[in-house]
Amino acid sequence: MATLRKNDISRDVARKLGGTHSQGEAALNAVLRSIQEALAAGDRVVLTGFGSFELRDVKARKVRPIRGSKAGDLIEVPAHKRVGFSAGAELSKAAQQ
């Protein structure tokens, strides 16, 4: 199983669109920037068939640090938001093949 990186995807986008690598990179960057801006504004992003991205609230909680002088003591992780992804039907189906 190989690792596909952003550079590989932008090269593939350029090939599929019949453009240069820099054009593929610009197209991919524009899509990723649009997703990032929408999430920053609190919007949900739905790419039909692929999946959806949304901000999720994570509650504050106490955890034990694994290392350090305070190992064994509980420390508090403050409430925060994280990006969640839910795979769409087509992506889920493709991943199972």
Side-chain angles (χ1 to χ4, degrees):
M1 180 162 46
T3 299
L4 194 63
R5 301 195 186 284
K6 184 179 173 186
N7 191 38
D8 302 321
I9 296 171
S10 63
R11 193 174 294 123
D12 194 40
V13 167
R15 186 180 50 76
K16 288 179 180 178
L17 294 177
T20 65
H21 180 211
S22 60
Q23 290 171 326
E25 186 175 18
L28 179 59
N29 284 336
V31 170
L32 296 176
R33 196 168 25 260
S34 294
I35 292 171
Q36 187 175 13
E37 289 169 357
L39 289 171
D43 298 332
R44 183 170 185 246
V45 178
V46 178
L47 303 172
T48 304
F50 182 75
S52 61
F53 299 88
E54 64 185 341
L55 287 179
R56 297 180 182 164
D57 292 319
V58 178
K59 296 179 186 177
R61 64 189 189 278
K62 295 189 182 281
V63 297
R64 294 185 195 280
I66 297 172
R67 298 186 207 169
S69 62
K70 300 219 180 228
D73 296 342
L74 290 177
I75 59 170
E76 177 140 347
V77 175
H80 58 280
K81 294 185 182 291
R82 69 171 180 87
V83 175
F85 175 75
S86 297
E90 290 177 34
L91 180 61
S92 294
K93 187 177 176 182
Q96 292 179 5
Q97 293 179 351

